[in-house]
Amino acid sequence: MLRKPRSMIPLCAAGVTLIASCTGCDMASSYSSSTASAPATMPMDQVQPALNAVRAFDLGQIVVDGQGYTVYRYDKDGTNPPKATCTGTCAQMWKPVPAAATQQLEGIDRTKVGSLTREDGTDQATLAGWPLYRYAKDEMPGETAGQGVGGVWYPITPAGGKVLTVANPGTSDVFGL
């Protein structure tokens, strides 16, 4: 049995981190991508903002931010015109995705993205009119702990739909790579 040297373990872990933080990009462009150098633990406001369409686990196509965290929509928000109703303590658990994320898109139709100005004066990204959020309990890129919370929170698809059920279990290509 051939064993790998112990020193390869940190290198392999770094490679997994690089792949996870480079969602939506191919391996040839991952080294030049500004998101590739952002560790998964970096605060949201210090990462290159982006929205990427990926095929994640058994949920099918979903949208993730520049760090690979799942992006959600809230059924109680409005879309015509876009209106964010998650404010105060709600916005502490469900972090609004900054409007700057709409500047770098991968796999998302630019005509479907926009922004709105929240009650607190900050700008929030929208997709198909839905204000976008990140769930504070998603601790790692690719997690979907917010799926179906309260029957009103769902990962958003690249077209603006909500992910209700599992799609093709066992055939996923994590982060679209």
Side-chain angles (χ1 to χ4, degrees), residues 115-172:
S115 65
L116 62 85
T117 301
R118 297 176 53 81
E119 289 178 0
D120 64 5
T122 61
D123 291 329
Q124 182 174 1
T126 63
L127 177 57
W130 291 102
L132 302 178
Y133 302 88
R134 203 173 99 178
Y135 189 41
K137 290 188 178 180
D138 283 346
E139 296 177 353
M140 295 174 30
E143 282 190 348
T144 56
Q147 167 73 19
V149 169
V152 292
W153 289 99
Y154 297 94
I156 193 165
T157 69
K162 61 183 173 183
V163 176
L164 293 172
T165 59
V166 173
N168 299 323
T171 61
S172 298

Side-chain angles (χ1 to χ4, degrees), residues 18 22-36 106 177:
L18 175 65
C22 186
T23 60
C25 59
D26 60 33
M27 291 308 288
S29 65
S30 66
Y31 294 105
S32 63
S33 171
S34 60
T35 58
E106 180 71 36
L177 296 175

